[in-house]
Amino acid sequence: MSRLLKDLNKDQLEAVTTTEGPLLVVAGAGSGKTRVLTRRLAYILYERLAQPHQLLAVTFTNKAASEMKERVNSLLGGEIPSLSVSTFHSFCARFLRREGGVLGYDTNYTIFDESDSETLAKNCIKELNLAGSQFSPRAQLRKISTAKNKLVGAEDYAKRASGYFEKTTAQIYSLYQERLRRCNAMDFDDLLFNSVLLLGSDAEIGDRYRERFKYILVDEYQDTNHVQYLLLKSLLGRHNNICVVGDEDQSIYGWRGADIRNILEFEKDFPGARIIKLEQNYRSTPIILDAASGVIRNNEARKAKKLWTDREGGDKLQLLLVDSADEEAVAVVDFIQREQDSCGLKEIAVLYRTNAQSRPFEEHLRRENIPYQIVGGIAFYQRKEIKDLLAYLKLIVNVKDDISFQRIINYPKRGIGTRSLDNILSLAHSRGISGYELLLKIDDYPELSAKTRRIKPFIELIEKYRQEKESVPIDLLAQDLVEDVRFLEELRREDEIVAQTKIENIEAFIEGMAEYAEHNGEASLENYLADISLFTDIDTYSEIEDKLTMMTLHSAKGLEFDTVFIVGLEEGLFPLARAISEPMELEEERRLFYVGATRAKRKLYLASATSRYRFGEVESIPSRFIKEIPEALLERHERRTQRRFDHESGTYQTTGFFPAGRTRAPKATGVHYDYEDSELMRVGRIVQHPTFGRGKITSVEGYGESLTLEIVFTGVGKKKIMVKYARLKIVG
DNA sequence: CCGAGCCTTGTTTTT
DNA sequence: CAAGGCTCGG
């Protein structure tokens, strides 16, 4: 007991022990929020105020959820099995898997990710003969999502729609929902939407859950949207014990429907609510805090609050002013090398506004042999080869999933082109069944061509695995499937060079399945697919390895590092161009900066370039956020010269100095060029290859490690060569 | 039906 | 600048 309340300041202690009634904990950045959350859960359990299954804790990411569970376990000295800590989405997914039958969904429903949704939306738009018009799938999905986040269903939307555009969107929305249902699938928003619907419409189910959850705990409350708010309301029963934790200054998901009013109006929404503010910061130096609050101060939509620390001193913010994105990377990597000795790489992070900015950093880090990990970007499960394999698995689990069906019916090629596919699908849909269900009874449909009938082996294959899935462990099933489909052979056939990486990905994927099977009692294919569809890259991020971390500012929420680099601080990029004219969006960008800055414990670097390629060369000016930082807190470093590549000597000429007198030694003029010198590998160059001899570069693709050249070798012909593997010498 | 190559288009963050 | 769509030739 004393251990649970030890080392807490007065406010933290109060937040931990105020268990009854609605409670809002306003937790400033670095104020010990995680500690309060975990102690509070442990305290409730230790004091036997509730059984583990009567607690519901909701976090923002799966990673945060499992960390919280772990910490509670260790505070109480043992594994608490039925403690429910999860994200909103995974809570809802599980809830609907159990209870969703009431809404007419099968328990094996599929969760569509964004690209599945987009394919479906595209199909719908085509079906309504709106293809190629101003109704792009993405924009329409955006609108549909916004509506769902406000609990506006397709029918309600149609009722309210006025004018051609809204009415057309209403049509698309309604068809999209119809198709989802026919696929026995839900998109991300449906998980929340349907849960709220079900809790509201079915009194028995609603009461059962309201009775069950004696204590509800919500983290990152500032980033909840209206549907999430309604979900909490419909889960909160007579116990009335809800504790939400958040900080309006860190609300950065407005574009996803997050409603900052949820936190600002908590007292109104939950009468009798108490408010506890955690304002002492234990993370950052006062200089970093002053800089962060200098910026956030410019926002109107916030409650004034004073984050303070009793720490002293600290280094000024280091502002790196450079000429280009490439120079930015050089400068940042240079400083990383200095900092890594004092804190280690795993305590350093490079944060950027958009994923696309990672590229130059990757190149230069590789060049300097600095290990790094990127969080986000193209998520593992979004890779084409993984999505293809997943589509097989999804179809095996849910034969109504036309989107997966569509994806794999002709992959690998089975002679079913768009024509045949259209025939199958439109016939199926006229019969009210899915494409695959139709094929199961293909003999009943003489109108299908003989060509289409060649699909039978595919049906037999899927049927075989549908039989097996109950008895065969998931990883073995996937392994068999990959062999049956001749998946790896197909990858090699497509492109021998790229195949290697893809095959490794497939192997890693199957390994992941094996691991999942090992750690989960009921490792059914259904559960596995449901779990990974809600998994994101940040969930697999681990601080254990000694690597530098790079990610977007959004992904960095909730994390902390000794040294942080915020890069790309330019008008148009951060803040983004479209936010500049929208006061609300601009404030969100500013909060995003605030989140980024307050990740740093000891040292904060900012970088800004005067020109950056963003579809064509664009001059850019330093971000307004830099000007909002008190000048006295900044130390400037300028690097105003371009490194130029000298074609005569084959070296870089660096006339500038950065920082203060240190020159990057130009690379020696060499005979052997390793793959890092991507600039040297240009079309027209003559190269020497150990086995193919001399050849001329005819095209260049990729960069860094995936830099691939097309070379025409004398007497050998055209070859695609991955520079990483080939020891190429430039000879002319 | 399939593949290559040209053209257009869109361009942020993520459960 | 990149990816996806579309057209054309096989």
XYZ file of all heavy atoms in Angstrom, chain C:
207
model
P 12.216 16.064 -58.753
O 13.425 15.636 -58.099
O 11.929 15.798 -60.115
O 10.941 15.668 -57.887
C 11.070 15.374 -56.513
C 10.044 14.340 -56.135
O 8.720 14.843 -56.379
C 10.152 13.024 -56.893
O 10.141 11.963 -55.944
C 8.930 12.983 -57.791
C 7.938 13.861 -57.045
N 6.958 14.571 -57.918
C 5.593 14.546 -57.600
O 5.240 13.928 -56.601
N 4.725 15.208 -58.393
C 5.166 15.867 -59.453
N 4.264 16.515 -60.197
C 6.551 15.918 -59.797
C 7.406 15.262 -59.016
P 10.247 10.477 -56.292
O 11.052 9.807 -55.276
O 10.555 10.320 -57.733
O 8.726 10.076 -56.078
C 8.208 10.008 -54.762
C 6.829 9.425 -54.871
O 6.023 10.296 -55.697
C 6.816 8.047 -55.524
O 6.082 7.163 -54.718
C 6.175 8.266 -56.895
C 5.370 9.534 -56.699
N 5.322 10.358 -57.909
C 6.322 10.619 -58.806
N 5.968 11.402 -59.791
C 4.635 11.678 -59.523
C 3.682 12.455 -60.190
N 3.928 13.128 -61.302
N 2.448 12.515 -59.644
C 2.195 11.852 -58.511
N 3.018 11.084 -57.796
C 4.229 11.045 -58.367
P 6.034 5.619 -54.966
O 6.480 4.991 -53.714
O 6.712 5.290 -56.238
O 4.464 5.386 -55.132
C 3.549 6.187 -54.388
C 2.227 6.198 -55.107
O 2.271 7.143 -56.208
C 1.823 4.845 -55.710
O 0.448 4.622 -55.463
C 2.108 5.014 -57.186
C 1.797 6.489 -57.382
N 2.451 7.097 -58.531
C 3.717 6.872 -58.982
N 4.036 7.568 -60.047
C 2.899 8.310 -60.301
C 2.583 9.257 -61.298
N 3.448 9.618 -62.255
N 1.357 9.811 -61.277
C 0.506 9.439 -60.322
N 0.685 8.566 -59.330
C 1.910 8.029 -59.375
P -0.136 3.133 -55.612
O -0.331 2.607 -54.267
O 0.681 2.378 -56.600
O -1.559 3.423 -56.271
C -2.175 4.704 -56.152
C -2.829 5.050 -57.474
O -1.831 5.597 -58.372
C -3.463 3.865 -58.191
O -4.812 4.199 -58.476
C -2.618 3.683 -59.454
C -2.061 5.078 -59.662
N -0.798 5.139 -60.379
C 0.350 4.421 -60.114
N 1.334 4.691 -60.938
C 0.799 5.667 -61.784
C 1.402 6.349 -62.867
O 2.542 6.232 -63.304
N 0.520 7.238 -63.465
C -0.777 7.444 -63.067
N -1.480 8.332 -63.756
N -1.356 6.818 -62.043
C -0.506 5.938 -61.452
P -5.765 3.231 -59.338
O -7.092 3.270 -58.689
O -5.088 1.942 -59.582
O -5.837 4.032 -60.711
C -6.227 5.417 -60.716
C -6.395 5.864 -62.151
O -5.077 5.985 -62.761
C -7.171 4.890 -63.032
O -7.980 5.651 -63.923
C -6.090 4.097 -63.745
C -4.980 5.127 -63.892
N -3.632 4.593 -63.890
C -3.094 3.659 -63.027
N -1.839 3.379 -63.270
C -1.529 4.180 -64.364
C -0.304 4.311 -65.081
O 0.769 3.730 -64.872
N -0.416 5.225 -66.119
C -1.548 5.925 -66.430
N -1.467 6.752 -67.466
N -2.697 5.815 -65.768
C -2.613 4.924 -64.752
P -8.985 4.944 -64.911
O -10.228 5.724 -64.849
O -8.993 3.482 -64.635
O -8.303 5.170 -66.331
C -7.800 6.456 -66.712
C -6.995 6.285 -67.977
O -5.720 5.697 -67.635
C -7.663 5.338 -68.989
O -7.777 5.961 -70.253
C -6.742 4.114 -69.011
C -5.402 4.700 -68.585
N -4.518 3.708 -67.922
C -3.184 3.585 -68.353
O -2.783 4.297 -69.278
N -2.381 2.683 -67.742
C -2.850 1.931 -66.746
N -2.019 1.058 -66.171
C -4.196 2.035 -66.290
C -4.989 2.931 -66.899
P -8.553 5.200 -71.441
O -9.569 6.118 -71.963
O -8.946 3.836 -71.018
O -7.380 5.051 -72.507
C -6.369 6.064 -72.605
C -5.237 5.507 -73.446
O -4.393 4.661 -72.624
C -5.679 4.641 -74.621
O -4.900 4.944 -75.763
C -5.439 3.225 -74.145
C -4.208 3.414 -73.266
N -4.043 2.388 -72.209
C -2.791 1.853 -72.004
O -1.808 2.169 -72.649
N -2.718 0.927 -70.993
C -3.756 0.491 -70.197
O -3.579 -0.352 -69.317
C -5.054 1.086 -70.468
C -6.250 0.667 -69.664
C -5.132 2.001 -71.455
P -5.464 4.538 -77.189
O -5.588 5.800 -77.935
O -6.615 3.612 -77.082
O -4.240 3.712 -77.786
C -2.883 4.127 -77.530
C -2.002 2.903 -77.487
O -2.223 2.190 -76.251
C -2.290 1.898 -78.617
O -1.118 1.694 -79.396
C -2.727 0.633 -77.908
C -2.112 0.803 -76.523
N -2.830 0.063 -75.453
C -2.091 -0.726 -74.560
O -0.870 -0.809 -74.687
N -2.761 -1.404 -73.590
C -4.084 -1.302 -73.491
N -4.687 -1.968 -72.512
C -4.852 -0.500 -74.388
C -4.192 0.160 -75.340
P -1.272 1.018 -80.835
O -0.707 1.980 -81.804
O -2.630 0.453 -81.025
O -0.259 -0.198 -80.701
C 0.986 -0.043 -80.025
C 1.469 -1.408 -79.574
O 0.693 -1.834 -78.428
C 1.305 -2.508 -80.634
O 2.480 -3.294 -80.660
C 0.086 -3.288 -80.166
C 0.188 -3.140 -78.654
N -1.079 -3.266 -77.941
C -2.291 -2.705 -78.266
N -3.247 -2.990 -77.423
C -2.616 -3.788 -76.477
C -3.141 -4.403 -75.310
O -4.295 -4.356 -74.871
N -2.168 -5.134 -74.639
C -0.865 -5.245 -75.027
N -0.068 -5.990 -74.257
N -0.357 -4.678 -76.104
C -1.296 -3.971 -76.776
P 2.673 -4.466 -81.660
O 4.068 -4.418 -82.121
O 1.552 -4.478 -82.628
O 2.509 -5.718 -80.700
C 3.521 -6.000 -79.731
C 3.046 -7.170 -78.902
O 1.783 -6.840 -78.302
C 2.822 -8.451 -79.714
O 3.611 -9.481 -79.155
C 1.348 -8.755 -79.568
C 0.975 -8.004 -78.297
N -0.424 -7.595 -78.226
C -1.113 -6.794 -79.107
N -2.370 -6.598 -78.773
C -2.511 -7.325 -77.597
C -3.636 -7.495 -76.764
O -4.763 -7.027 -76.909
N -3.350 -8.309 -75.666
C -2.120 -8.880 -75.410
N -2.028 -9.628 -74.320
N -1.052 -8.731 -76.182
C -1.326 -7.937 -77.244
